[in-house]
Amino acid sequence: MKTLAYQAAQFNANQQSREINLLNKERELYIAQQMVKEREYTNMLMFVTILVGGLFFLGILLAVGQMQKRKFMRMARMDALTGILNRGAGQELGEDLFVQATARGGDFCVILFDLDLFKRINDSYGHGTGDWVLKKVADFLKSHIRNGDVFARIGGEEFAILLPYANEEKGMEVAEQCRARIEAIETQHSGHKFVITASFGVSGLMADDLSLDPLFHRADMALYAAKSCGRNTVVRYSEVLKCDQQATDLRRYAASTSIS
């Protein structure tokens, strides 16, 4: 009985030892599995972090690229000196507004103006003063231009104001206001004392106008007439100007023919 009891006790001890070893192995396996899961979680977290960081960095690059693109497009449309639209952008926008206005049966008016004796300012006071004059004129008139109108520099000292849904009378009013504002510019801040004036030509929409070109042409003839009338004035286009232009062209042609 003692022998059997001893053998039974030894068997139980061995059984318990095997169970303890099995539990230890299961514990080690569980710990290893947990370590693998933690490593997988860490790797996944690192991957997600890298992915989010890469996407964020890519987003920043795209945003900067878009900003640079818009900046370059804006620079391509703007006159670098005065900060208003250049000739190409002004005419393109003007054509779009012209089509919209005429499609709705609205009026359209073109104002061209040229600074008087601008070359004399450059020759007398230097090109720096001439640039100051151009910027000052643009700054003085920008706040006077309505939202929806187009203000552009189309040449050295020549500017255009395009007025959608405005008739010729409104154009004459705007041109006269601009002429007065230019004449009132105080030039002493440029380091010199002189007077700035400008001549204006105004042309409104006619029934057979299909684009802006005829309006620009008529406004240019009116501007030429304003220069011929002594400058610092506003002239509205009329058929008389067309006749005068034709007479001038004939005189020039006759003169060139006689010389040849």
Side-chain angles (χ1 to χ4, degrees), residues 21-38:
N21 289 334
L22 181 61
L23 290 174
N24 288 333
K25 289 181 180 179
E26 289 179 351
R27 179 174 176 273
E28 291 174 357
L29 179 62
Y30 175 77
I31 292 173
Q33 289 175 342
Q34 290 300 114
M35 292 179 63
V36 170
K37 289 182 179 179
E38 289 180 0

Side-chain angles (χ1 to χ4, degrees), residues 118 121-122 124-137 140 185-196:
F118 184 73
I121 295 176
N122 279 333
S124 301
Y125 309 114
H127 288 277
T129 302
D131 291 345
W132 181 90
V133 169
L134 293 171
K135 289 188 286 187
K136 186 62 66 174
V137 167
F140 260 61
I185 292 176
E186 182 56 61
T187 60
Q188 63 181 2
H189 299 295
S190 70
H192 306 281
K193 187 67 176 177
F194 55 93
V195 176
I196 307 172

